[in-house]
Every structure is written in structure tokens, then in C-alpha cells.
Amino acid sequence: MPFRIWFPIAIWTLAILIANLYLFFRTEESISEYKLNPPFRIEDATGSGGLSRLLDRDLDSFWEKKKQSPVGFDFFLEMKLSHFWNGNEFSPREFKSLSLIPCKGQTVPKFKLRFLLRESINVDKELRLPEDSLAFEMVSQSETETEIKIPLTKLPKFKAEKNYPKGIYILTPEFTILEDSKSKCISEIQIDD
């Protein structure tokens, strides 16, 4: 076979192979990122910017409160679904704690936490905002901790569900950094399960 025939075929074969490998590895990376940080809503009512840095698992990135919030909270993070699909039904997750990590060299700021269970709705069928129920509230006045783990023992016992979204919630911590707090900088927030 002459060079001018097999060379273009070899180049195209190699290009297709490289493109497929790239697609495979990017898909695996996207699936891992989705499992780590699902694409739920986050809202920074202070307009300080960079709220997504609290979910990136990078302790060098951070969010800092720069302005007062015009509403009753500074920010909320829709973090995890209360259930996962096991192939047969939606099985409940067992949540242990909510971790709050301050910026390097600082302590956890004073804060108020409202831990919400946000109704998981089927957005294809319902044109409304989800309803929230309050799981618990707490206020932390201490500024001596370099990390805080809040036990999630006050969450209700979730049951296995067959029909999505019935009985399935999005765990949503809503934070307000208290005004008299010296530190207003947070590096990471995680739900440990």
C-alpha cells in the first residue's frame, strides 16, 4: 500500500483513539466531581463572591464575608441528597457531621447555623421553589477552634423510598457569620457520611 494512502488512515486512526481516550478520562473526572460536589444551588446573600470555594476541598481557597447581608442569612449551600439510588430503591445515607474549617492561621468565626432539609422536587413536573423544614439551629460563640465538627444526630431517620422525590431531601446548611466575630473567613464546609 502506498504511503499517501496508509499515512492519512494512520493519522485519522490515531486522532480518533486520542479523542476517545480524552473523552473517557474527562467523563471519569466529571463523574468524580459530581459525586464530590453535585450541582446544587448555593447563594451568597452578602455578595462577597467566591462561595463555591467552600466546596472545592482545597484548603488554600476561601470565602470571606465582605458585606452585610440584606436578608436573614449570609449564605446557604445545598450539599447532599438524603438518599442515593442503589439500583432498586432510594436508600438513606447515614450522616455523621458537618465540618467547618476556617482560613489558614485563623479560628472558626462566630456563627449561627440553620440546618435545613430542602424538599427535593421534580423540576420537570413542578414549577415552584422547594419547601424547607428546619432540622436544627445552633449558635457558636467560640472563636478558639481551628476546626469544628457539628454532629448530625438531630437529623430525622430517613427511610428507604421507591418514588423520587417523595421523602428525599437536600441537606442545606444556612450560615450567618455574627457581626462581633473577629474572623469572617472560611476555607471549607463538608458533610461527612
Side-chain angles (χ1 to χ4, degrees):
M1 187 180 311
F3 175 78
R4 63 189 171 125
I5 293 175
W6 69 261
F7 183 72
I9 293 172
I11 294 295
W12 277 106
T13 304
L14 185 61
I16 291 170
L17 179 64
I18 290 170
N20 281 322
L21 284 172
Y22 173 78
L23 185 62
F24 174 77
F25 287 115
R26 275 297 289 144
T27 301
E28 287 294 313
E29 185 180 307
S30 295
I31 290 170
S32 297
E33 177 62 27
Y34 179 86
K35 285 179 181 176
L36 189 65
N37 187 13
F40 293 137
R41 287 177 50 219
I42 60 176
E43 183 176 328
D44 183 351
T46 69
S48 298
L51 190 62
S52 63
R53 296 178 192 146
L54 294 179
L55 301 171
D56 64 5
R57 301 212 180 235
D58 179 2
L59 296 180
D60 291 325
S61 67
F62 60 89
W63 174 87
E64 187 169 18
K65 180 177 177 177
K66 297 177 182 168
K67 301 183 229 171
Q68 281 296 96
S69 168
V71 293
F73 63 91
D74 288 339
F75 66 88
F76 71 74
L77 306 163
E78 290 184 351
M79 295 188 70
K80 289 193 176 187
L81 279 174
S82 58
H83 294 68
F84 67 94
W85 178 250
N86 69 8
N88 252 351
E89 64 185 7
F90 292 95
S91 296
R93 288 190 165 109
E94 295 288 326
F95 298 103
K96 294 184 179 101
S97 62
L98 176 72
S99 297
L100 185 65
I101 303 166
C103 295
K104 285 189 177 177
Q106 296 188 31
T107 56
V108 175
K110 294 179 184 179
F111 65 90
K112 177 183 174 187
L113 166 66
R114 293 181 70 228
F115 201 94
L116 306 172
L117 297 177
R118 182 153 290 159
E119 176 188 26
S120 183
I121 61 174
N122 187 339
V123 293
D124 293 334
K125 293 183 180 178
E126 298 195 46
L127 296 173
R128 64 177 178 87
L129 288 173
E131 294 179 8
D132 295 338
S133 58
L134 181 65
F136 66 90
E137 284 183 294
M138 73 167 282
V139 176
S140 172
Q141 294 286 344
S142 171
E143 285 189 287
T144 60
E145 305 290 328
T146 54
E147 179 177 349
I148 200 168
K149 281 192 179 283
I150 301 160
L152 295 179
T153 54
K154 293 181 182 177
L155 291 181
K157 265 296 201 206
F158 300 116
K159 296 182 261 180
E161 299 289 348
K162 291 255 185 224
N163 302 314
Y164 178 85
K166 180 182 170 250
I168 299 172
Y169 302 94
I170 303 171
L171 278 61
T172 308
E174 180 185 275
F175 284 92
T176 303
I177 306 298
L178 301 181
E179 284 313 304
D180 63 338
S181 183
K182 288 180 251 167
S183 168
K184 296 190 185 317
C185 188
I186 303 171
S187 177
E188 197 69 27
I189 296 177
Q190 302 167 358
I191 291 181
D192 308 310
D193 54 349

